[in-house]
Amino acid sequence: MIRFLRRLARRPLTILGLLLVGGHLLVAAIAPWITPHDPLRLLDAPLEPPTAIFWLGTDELGRDFFSRLLLGGQISIVAAASAGLIAAIGGGILGLATAYHRGLFDDVVSRLVEMKLSIPSILLVSLFVTGFGQSLGVLIVVMSLIYMMGVIRTSRAMGISLMEQGYVKAAKLRGESATTIVLREMLPNIADLLTVEFALRTSSALLLVSALSFLGLGVSPPTPDWGLMIQSGLQSIRSEPWLILAPALCISTLVIGINFATEGVADLLGLEAARGATGH
């Protein structure tokens, strides 16, 4: 661990990424207790400029913009992190299972993965949200299934190499079931890879949630959300540009922080394959 921290100290971008992510998570966690005003309260002062009372002014409905900005990342972070976690764990198990069984099961799963990767993620999520409703649960489930496909490909490739390892062959000779071998023998050996995959998928999911909210298919008003805030601020972009710049900066710094941190940690763990993974 000490050696890992020393190597980490020589990577300023990785440290910057960790600080950005940590800062966003801290603010999201304590936001309900530090917001100066009720983010849903309609004040009789729409589009007020920044003042000592309203640090970033008010939005088009007269709500305190700074308070909404502090709370705006909660839903996006929860949705993106939940989808990334489910995708990483579920995709990891399925990928290892295809590597273990091969044959028809492997062919079916591989064709499904290729079929999904040929369809833009935002289009697929938009169709599901439109069909099943605009709720946080639907959003998490759909994004989990979408980002799981990329994890399946990566973990399957790792699983094929693990099948040649002695401890896997020994487990098969002992008569252990396929489920036991996949979960106990193989899954722990790709934990580092799945950690990086989780971060990558979370970063992509965060952008997707914000894009959907901007298009009116994500989080529903009046819930504070960065994507919604950008969409609402478009009508006053000339007179109050901070209504767009502030939430856009929050999204950008969080995504950049996740990417910097993920790339650095992947390098330190020797996961070159994971570094090249995309958000598909």
Side-chain angles (χ1 to χ4, degrees):
M1 177 59 72
I2 295 178
R3 182 182 178 185
F4 179 84
L5 293 176
R6 287 177 178 173
R7 294 173 61 192
L8 180 63
R10 295 195 292 268
R11 296 176 177 270
L13 288 181
T14 303
I15 295 175
L16 174 61
L18 292 173
L19 290 175
L20 287 174
V21 173
H24 275 288
L25 293 178
L26 177 62
V27 171
I30 66 175
W33 294 277
I34 63 174
T35 50
H37 302 279
D38 183 353
L40 301 180
R41 182 184 176 188
L42 300 179
L43 306 173
D44 190 20
L47 295 178
E48 281 288 314
T51 63
I53 299 177
F54 305 114
W55 293 357
L56 288 177
T58 60
D59 64 8
E60 73 284 356
L61 296 178
R63 297 169 297 192
D64 179 50
F65 194 75
F66 180 69
S67 298
R68 294 181 62 80
L69 190 69
L70 291 177
L71 287 166
Q74 284 188 327
I75 300 297
S76 297
I77 292 174
V78 169
S82 299
L85 182 62
I86 296 172
I89 296 177
I93 293 175
L94 274 175
L96 293 177
T98 58
Y100 182 89
H101 292 289
R102 305 301 294 272
L104 179 61
F105 179 67
D106 183 21
D107 289 339
V108 171
V109 174
S110 297
R111 298 298 82 77
L112 289 174
V113 170
E114 292 170 0
M115 182 173 64
K116 183 274 146 190
L117 293 178
S118 66
I119 304 174
S121 297
I122 191 169
L123 174 61
L124 199 57
V125 176
S126 299
L127 291 175
F128 271 88
V129 169
T130 302
F132 293 97
Q134 199 169 333
S135 68
L136 183 61
V138 170
L139 195 61
I140 292 174
V141 170
V142 176
M143 290 196 303
S144 301
L145 293 175
I146 287 176
Y147 291 116
M148 189 181 295
M149 301 304 174
V151 183
I152 290 174
R153 294 182 66 179
T154 307
S155 58
R156 176 184 177 275
M158 292 289 291
I160 291 175
S161 64
L162 290 178
M163 288 297 296
E164 303 301 321
Q165 300 299 315
Y167 58 86
V168 175
K169 294 181 179 179
K172 295 176 70 173
L173 291 175
R174 291 195 302 268
E176 294 185 7
S177 65
T179 302
T180 300
I181 294 175
V182 168
L183 295 181
R184 292 186 180 179
E185 304 294 339
M186 301 175 70
L187 187 61
N189 287 281
I190 65 168
D192 291 344
L193 174 67
L194 295 184
T195 300
V196 175
E197 287 286 355
F198 161 70
L200 288 170
R201 308 305 162 180
T202 299
S203 175
S204 298
L206 182 68
L207 286 174
L208 183 57
V209 170
S210 299
L212 289 170
S213 296
F214 178 82
L215 296 174
L217 296 172
V219 180
S220 302
T223 304
D225 178 79
W226 291 333
L228 275 176
M229 294 167 73
I230 293 175
Q231 194 276 337
S232 300
L234 285 177
Q235 58 186 335
S236 53
I237 186 173
R238 295 183 180 275
S239 57
E240 288 84 17
W242 59 86
L243 297 181
I244 291 179
L245 295 178
L249 181 63
C250 290
I251 296 172
S252 301
T253 53
L254 180 54
V255 172
I256 290 173
I258 293 175
N259 289 337
F260 279 172
T262 302
E263 183 174 3
V265 172
D267 279 341
L268 293 173
L269 296 175
L271 298 175
E272 295 296 328
R275 286 185 61 224
T278 66
H280 298 293

